[in-house]
Amino acid sequence: LLTGPNLLIAVALGTSVYIWNASKASVTELANMGDLNQVTSVAWSDINRGNYLSVGTLDGKVQIWDVQH
């Protein structure tokens, strides 16, 4: 998912969530759910600001991450 003026893309891959910053051409691992869980969905909270990312997991939980801090 690409968001607003920050040009951030969130990518869920297996047990991890990565943030690609297009303006800096950098990739950072935001979260790792561990070997017993997987990321099933990601969604930005506000497309204009893109500060918070909701991460859904295989065990039915949702985590909210502040990607700016």
Side-chain angles (χ1 to χ4, degrees), residues 3-49:
T3 187
N6 296 324
L7 296 175
L8 301 176
I9 295 177
V11 177
L13 184 60
T15 62
S16 295
V17 176
Y18 297 91
I19 302 296
W20 178 60
N21 185 324
S23 62
K24 294 180 181 178
S26 64
V27 176
T28 305
E29 184 180 39
L30 177 68
N32 186 305
M33 301 301 140
D35 293 335
L36 301 177
N37 209 352
Q38 289 187 348
V39 178
T40 57
S41 60
V42 292
W44 293 106
S45 63
D46 183 333
I47 197 71
N48 294 320
R49 287 185 272 153

Side-chain angles (χ1 to χ4, degrees), residues 45-60:
S45 63
D46 183 333
I47 197 71
N48 294 320
R49 287 185 272 153
N51 292 332
Y52 298 99
L53 184 70
S54 298
V55 177
T57 57
L58 188 62
D59 63 1

